[in-house]
Amino acid sequence: MIAALTPGLLVAANSIVLAGVWLDRWTVSEVVFFFWAENLIVGAFYLARMLSYGSAKALPLSLFFLVHYGGFCAAHGLMLGQLFSLSPRSAAPWPGVDLPLLGLLVDTLQRVWSTATPLWLASFTALVVSHGASFVVNFLLRNERVRTGPDRLMMQPYQRIILLHFAVLLGGIAVRELGEPLLLLLVLVVLKTAVDLRAHLREHAQASQLPVSN
């Protein structure tokens, strides 16, 4: 019963994205940037997993992951910004951010956040709940924590999101070039959900087969 909870929440969270496309008439750029923002949620919970070990090895690996993954998300956001325009509805500056990569990441997040509708925020919150439930259920309650370690965890989010977002990128470009028909936008979200669900199930099935680490 508990094993079926997190896949169900993942599908439910992505279903709200479908509602955003259908009811809120999200553009393809809003959809693509929404899934980019999901990367930040993924990274935050992987950082929490790594920090949970509290060892001398975990802390420097966690700091490296924070810088490297943050840089990856910043570069990804920059690339999307060049391919998809996302004009802010009401921009407000975030002062005090001077580091180049962090500034780029915050700037992209600011532009994405400034376009957010209530349904967008509800979808984002649902994804936070979904990934948070996976952290509690799979990592803590189902003992993935004793079968993995910070070094293995550091690479896992890349394995999950790179292929997924490559597919979303290509699909988003195709939808845009075809005039952003509603049906194709819905298909893009459904395909992303299916690929994400498959990756989720495979990742946790593999983790359950790992030996308990010392």
Side-chain angles (χ1 to χ4, degrees):
M1 182 66 179
I2 194 172
L5 175 64
T6 55
L9 285 174
L10 179 64
V11 172
N14 281 277
S15 296
I16 304 178
V17 182
L18 283 174
V21 174
W22 181 263
L23 299 175
D24 220 14
R25 291 297 189 265
W26 291 3
T27 64
V28 67
S29 64
E30 287 175 304
V31 171
V32 169
F33 275 100
F34 180 85
F35 291 135
W36 171 85
E38 183 183 8
N39 292 346
L40 304 181
I41 303 173
V42 171
F45 280 109
Y46 267 96
L47 182 62
R49 286 173 172 87
M50 296 171 67
L51 288 172
S52 73
Y53 290 93
S55 63
K57 181 181 181 180
L59 181 57
L61 284 176
S62 299
L63 292 174
F64 177 80
F65 173 79
L66 179 62
V67 173
H68 191 274
Y69 189 84
F72 169 81
C73 289
H76 186 193
L78 177 63
M79 179 185 67
L80 293 179
Q82 293 174 340
L83 292 171
F84 299 92
S85 60
L86 187 65
S87 301
R89 295 176 183 174
S90 57
W94 290 14
V97 180
D98 297 322
L99 297 176
L101 283 178
L102 180 58
L104 176 60
L105 180 62
V106 168
D107 176 69
T108 305
L109 184 59
Q110 175 188 331
R111 290 188 294 112
V112 171
W113 208 261
S114 68
T115 69
T117 65
L119 193 52
W120 195 100
L121 293 173
S123 302
F124 188 83
T125 302
L127 284 176
V128 173
V129 172
S130 172
H131 287 283
S134 181
F135 170 72
V136 173
V137 171
N138 293 305
F139 189 70
L140 299 179
L141 299 182
R142 299 184 70 196
N143 290 326
E144 284 185 8
R145 186 178 182 279
V146 300
R147 299 178 184 276
T148 56
D151 48 351
R152 183 186 296 273
L153 287 169
M154 187 169 61
M155 298 307 300
Q156 281 187 350
Y158 298 99
Q159 297 169 2
R160 178 169 176 174
I161 69 176
I162 287 177
L163 179 60
L164 173 62
H165 283 271
F166 182 72
V168 168
L169 174 62
L170 292 182
I173 292 173
V175 170
R176 183 191 61 189
E177 294 302 314
L178 292 171
E180 303 193 23
L182 178 61
L183 178 59
L184 285 184
L185 266 175
L186 293 172
V187 169
L188 177 63
V189 176
V190 170
L191 288 177
K192 181 269 178 186
T193 304
V195 173
D196 201 13
L197 178 61
R198 184 174 182 274
H200 173 86
L201 294 173
R202 183 176 66 247
E203 175 184 311
H204 295 296
Q206 290 174 346
S208 67
Q209 301 302 316
L210 293 172
V212 174
S213 60
N214 295 324

